[in-house]
Amino acid sequence: MINLQPYSNPAYFGILLIALLPVIIGLYFGRRLKIYESIFTLAFLILTFGGDHWHQGAALILYTCYQVLLTMGFTHYRWNKNQTTIFVSAVILSILPLIIVKFTPLFPNYNGFNIGFLGISYLTFKTVQVIMELRDGTIKEISWSQYLHFLLFFPTISSGPIDRYRRFIKDYENVPDRSAYLDDVSKAVFYLIQGFLYKYILGYIFGTLLLPNVARAAMSQSSAFGGTGISWYLLGYMYVYSMYLFFDFAGYSLFAVSISYFMGIKTPMNFNKPFLAHNIKEFWNRWHMTLSFWFRDFIFMRFTFWVMKHRWVKNRVRMSQLAYLVNFLIMGFWHGLTWYYIVYGLFHAAAIIINDYWLRYKKNHADKIPHNKFTEGLAIFVTFNIVCFSFLIFSGFLNQLWF
């Protein structure tokens, strides 16, 4: 059996676009072919998780059944007199498979077996979001079939963007009129071409042509200084890796958004010119936006309300600082249980706390601090370099250089 990873090669796009034709024709004539879309989704899940990756496919099936049963069970018992206990238990149980996947490699008898699969993190984000919004009442009811479509929507299953249940279902159940759909198709084609430019041209240039050469030069220069030297090549690696990370991931996200639009689903964009951000907080409103907003809504805000409710911290500034620390520390651990991911999270927590101090100072001394094109350019330059340095930490290259 052939195995194709999402958006990995031209063959995948050829098969995908042919398979999409009935969906496109149906939507053009005002009909969503739900049965065909279900078969179509199943076929591409088999292509992704079949063959040599059959164990991931089995894990996906078990995981999906588990999460659907858990969510539907929570829907039934959420207004029980012990609703808080049931809610907390449901959230913990929904996260449990991801925790097991992240921590299993740390055990001394780990032999490579893992219950994980491509996309388990993004499916977990979706299930946690649904459970929390069911508790809040923003989601009133949920059907298992719609929930299944939401979880297994194949364009975004492996690496996002992370959609919201209510937004997705609204698109899924309401077919756009012909003119609106043709506009969606026009955007889909544009995003597809832009994705090819980003991932397969610019991503190739930075990631395949430049990055290995700069890495070798940086390693060689570091060895000449006994492993402690900081060279221009390391600085070059920092910038080249940052560009590669952006174009590769942004290109992938554009593919996911493009295919979603072809299917009449307006999956939210993931990037919005992040390297033009004026400060680190604005950067996180532009970079991997669906993940950033998920952490904001379901980690930062929930933790803040919880601290306020229990009156652990009365000072609002200290409260937000603590929430930033928790938010980015969890993000760091989510990326992986290695020192550079954790330091990456702590670095961004520190950067955004310092940025808040600066913004408050700037507001209180607005008459003394100039604001013009030069200062705006300087802010973008400083933010860009702070972000690139954080990506150098995130890359793990310093681990290779020093250890």
Side-chain angles (χ1 to χ4, degrees):
M1 177 185 290
I2 63 172
N3 179 269
L4 290 175
Q5 295 303 295
Y7 318 122
S8 58
N9 56 53
Y12 184 90
F13 285 96
I15 296 170
L16 178 58
L17 292 174
I18 291 171
L20 274 174
L21 280 176
V23 176
I24 295 170
I25 293 170
L27 289 170
Y28 178 80
F29 287 104
R31 292 184 59 194
R32 181 174 295 282
L33 307 179
K34 292 185 178 181
I35 295 176
Y36 176 81
E37 284 191 19
S38 298
I39 297 171
F40 167 72
T41 296
L42 179 61
F44 272 86
L45 290 177
I46 292 172
L47 284 175
T48 303
F49 297 103
D52 295 338
H53 296 159
W54 67 268
H55 56 286
Q56 289 197 30
L60 172 64
I61 293 170
L62 292 174
Y63 173 91
T64 303
C65 293
Y66 170 80
Q67 294 289 12
V68 170
L69 289 172
L70 176 64
T71 304
M72 300 311 295
F74 176 71
T75 302
H76 183 71
Y77 291 104
R78 60 182 156 156
W79 303 127
N80 185 281
K81 63 180 180 179
N82 298 317
Q83 57 182 268
T84 300
T85 301
I86 292 172
F87 167 67
V88 172
S89 299
V91 171
I92 292 173
L93 288 172
S94 68
I95 299 171
L96 185 60
L98 181 59
I99 293 175
I100 293 173
V101 167
K102 293 293 185 181
F103 279 88
T104 297
L106 297 181
F107 289 95
N109 295 325
Y110 172 67
N111 59 4
F113 173 78
N114 204 320
I115 64 169
F117 56 87
L118 183 68
I120 186 172
S121 292
Y122 293 92
L123 264 65
T124 301
F125 292 144
K126 286 183 175 182
T127 58
V128 171
Q129 172 238 315
V130 169
I131 289 172
M132 287 189 172
E133 291 195 343
L134 280 167
R135 165 62 185 268
D136 295 343
T138 51
I139 297 177
K140 305 298 182 184
E141 297 294 336
I142 188 171
S143 88
W144 69 268
S145 60
Q146 289 180 334
Y147 186 45
L148 205 57
H149 279 291
F150 171 65
L151 284 182
L152 299 180
F153 185 58
F154 93 91
T156 64
I157 193 171
S158 59
S159 296
I162 307 166
D163 209 345
R164 301 296 175 94
Y165 179 79
R166 287 177 295 157
R167 202 219 61 75
F168 175 87
I169 294 301
K170 181 180 178 181
D171 281 358
Y172 184 74
E173 294 297 336
N174 296 283
V175 177
D177 61 47
R178 183 171 295 180
S179 62
Y181 180 63
L182 288 175
D183 184 56
D184 289 347
V185 170
S186 176
K187 291 178 181 177
V189 172
F190 175 79
Y191 294 147
L192 189 65
I193 295 171
Q194 188 179 12
F196 270 100
L197 172 64
Y198 277 21
K199 186 171 178 65
Y200 290 116
I201 298 179
L202 296 174
Y204 175 80
I205 291 171
F206 285 106
T208 303
L209 298 182
L210 297 179
L211 194 62
N213 294 323
V214 177
R216 281 193 294 269
M219 293 285 285
S220 176
Q221 189 73 38
S222 178
S223 298
F225 288 97
T228 59
I230 302 299
S231 70
W232 287 107
Y233 289 113
L234 181 60
L235 192 65
Y237 182 92
M238 179 181 82
Y239 290 125
V240 171
Y241 177 80
S242 297
M243 294 300 102
Y244 162 69
L245 184 65
F246 168 70
F247 286 118
D248 184 74
F249 195 15
Y252 177 97
S253 296
L254 283 166
F255 290 145
V257 171
S258 170
I259 302 307
S260 299
Y261 270 65
F262 276 123
M263 299 178 70
I265 304 293
K266 296 181 181 179
T267 293
M269 295 294 288
N270 233 358
F271 295 89
N272 179 24
K273 301 176 182 177
F275 294 135
L276 293 180
H278 292 75
N279 57 63
I280 199 69
K281 184 178 286 188
E282 184 185 343
F283 169 79
W284 279 108
N285 287 328
R286 292 169 172 261
W287 175 273
H288 203 345
M289 294 184 292
T290 60
L291 177 71
S292 176
F293 297 160
W294 190 94
F295 268 84
R296 177 198 65 193
D297 295 343
F298 300 109
I299 301 294
F300 179 86
M301 295 302 298
R302 303 278 169 162
F303 180 80
T304 300
F305 290 148
W306 185 65
V307 171
M308 289 176 61
K309 180 180 178 181
H310 292 84
R311 299 181 180 179
W312 281 13
V313 180
K314 295 182 179 180
N315 186 296
R316 289 185 176 272
V317 174
R318 299 291 177 266
M319 186 188 303
S320 66
Q321 291 171 348
L322 181 60
Y324 284 132
L325 182 62
V326 170
N327 186 76
F328 283 100
L329 190 59
I330 292 175
M331 185 182 288
F333 274 106
W334 166 67
H335 278 105
L337 301 178
T338 54
W339 72 265
Y340 43 87
Y341 289 137
I342 297 166
V343 170
Y344 169 79
L346 291 173
F347 178 89
H348 272 282
I352 207 164
I353 289 170
I354 292 170
N355 179 73
D356 271 4
Y357 274 119
W358 165 247
L359 291 178
R360 283 194 297 274
Y361 178 85
K362 186 178 176 182
K363 182 179 179 181
N364 294 331
H365 299 80
D367 56 329
K368 299 179 181 179
I369 299 176
H371 181 80
N372 50 49
K373 290 184 178 180
F374 173 78
T375 57
E376 284 197 2
L378 180 62
I380 293 172
F381 176 78
V382 171
T383 303
F384 172 72
N385 280 276
I386 290 172
V387 167
C388 288
F389 180 71
S390 77
F391 288 156
L392 176 62
I393 297 170
F394 178 84
S395 71
F397 186 66
L398 294 177
N399 194 57
Q400 301 176 43
L401 210 60
W402 294 340
F403 300 105

